[in-house]
Amino acid sequence: MDDLVRACQPLWPRGISIFLSHQARFRNPLSPVDREALADSAAAEDPAVVAIVAEELPERLDRLERGTYFPVPLARAVAGGRAFDDALMSFHYPPVVVDADRCWSWKGQPVAERIRRFFVQHIGFEPDLGVWFVEYRVNDGWWDKCYLDCATTPLVAVQLREEGGAAGGGVVAHLNNGQSDRLDPDSLRLDNQERLFASSAGHGLVEIADTPRFALLRTVSEDCRTVEFAGARRTLRWPDDEP
């Protein structure tokens, strides 16, 4: 497992991820949760699989397409006599792209609206990798999963509920994926389009929808630097502010 993790590490910054199928789900060795789940995976220790990730993919790094590669079936195909370069793209899945306007596309084509809505309901976030993904159960023996290549967060806080009136009060957001999460009330920031964002406990950055955004901005101070939020005046960061 350690050899596989080390092999995956230089690929990740280049937009290349590795999935191993184990117990009906796809697992990324770089994710701590997935790595724990792969502890009893024979594929994670298979020298042929490790060699693909550690040797074959890095040799082609400059011409590899971004996305997820599946080294286990690729290793089987090569062992069966298929040329590596011929088999490579048969075991590659490009990321679903979410652009700055939150439009979804795959392989350069728009994602159909009904599929986009379905995907949104199944968005998750991997905090250790800082990446959003879509994962859903196809049947009892198979969960499908893909990463999102996001220019902005795909998650929107459609409703906010403040808890407690004191300065230490919290905020619970109802998200567009149907889940609820806590927001950090001291993480409010605007972008160049004056969209409002906040950090969540389990879903990464989320955008605050128009209705709660307008309610917050009605409390903005004269210098436009603070708003009333979760029982206290909170700093409102602007695009030119230092991170």
Side-chain angles (χ1 to χ4, degrees):
M1 175 65 75
D2 290 343
D3 289 341
L4 183 61
V5 171
R6 282 192 293 269
C8 291
Q9 287 171 340
L11 300 177
W12 180 257
R14 301 291 291 269
I16 297 167
S17 54
I18 299 299
F19 275 176
L20 303 185
S21 179
H22 187 58
Q23 296 179 346
R25 304 182 90 141
F26 288 122
R27 303 290 188 178
N28 182 341
L30 292 181
S31 162
V33 172
D34 287 352
R35 190 159 58 246
E36 182 177 352
L38 288 168
D40 61 348
S41 168
E45 305 288 348
D46 186 337
V49 171
V50 175
I52 283 175
V53 182
E55 300 170 16
E56 300 289 353
L57 294 182
E59 286 179 1
R60 298 162 174 82
L61 193 56
D62 289 340
R63 60 181 189 272
L64 287 181
E65 294 185 16
R66 293 171 60 87
T68 301
Y69 290 83
F70 301 84
V72 174
L74 179 55
R76 292 189 189 126
V78 173
R82 194 171 175 189
F84 185 91
D85 288 325
D86 176 60
L88 179 60
M89 297 309 291
S90 298
F91 305 103
H92 165 263
Y93 192 91
V96 175
V97 175
V98 181
D99 70 14
D101 296 317
R102 208 172 288 108
C103 296
W104 292 50
S105 62
W106 187 64
K107 292 186 175 181
Q109 298 297 317
V111 173
E113 180 59 21
R114 64 181 179 81
I115 297 175
R116 187 199 66 82
R117 290 197 300 267
F118 176 81
F119 279 178
V120 167
Q121 292 172 358
H122 295 86
I123 292 175
F125 183 70
E126 171 50 69
D128 290 281
L129 298 178
V131 63
W132 290 279
F133 60 85
V134 171
E135 185 178 35
Y136 56 93
R137 188 172 69 177
V138 178
N139 54 52
D140 289 341
W142 178 27
W143 287 69
D144 205 359
K145 182 177 182 178
C146 67
Y147 285 136
L148 303 179
D149 185 359
C150 298
T152 189
T153 174
L155 292 173
V156 179
V158 294
Q159 293 180 339
L160 301 181
R161 184 180 76 252
E162 296 190 18
E163 294 184 332
V171 179
V172 175
H174 180 66
L175 305 177
N176 59 331
N177 65 349
Q179 299 185 33
S180 295
D181 201 354
R182 298 185 69 84
L183 299 185
D184 177 357
D186 293 310
S187 66
L188 296 173
R189 69 172 181 83
L190 293 160
D191 69 0
N192 288 317
Q193 300 178 45
E194 296 191 3
R195 296 179 297 189
L196 185 61
F197 299 85
S199 298
S200 68
H203 289 83
L205 192 69
V206 301
E207 182 178 346
I208 297 175
D210 285 346
T211 297
R213 176 172 68 94
F214 291 147
L216 271 173
L217 294 181
R218 278 199 296 268
T219 70
V220 71
S221 59
E222 290 188 8
D223 63 1
C224 296
R225 288 293 176 180
T226 65
V227 291
E228 186 70 28
F229 193 41
R233 300 300 300 183
R234 309 286 182 173
T235 298
L236 180 62
R237 292 174 177 81
W238 289 80
D240 293 336
D241 291 347
E242 290 294 328

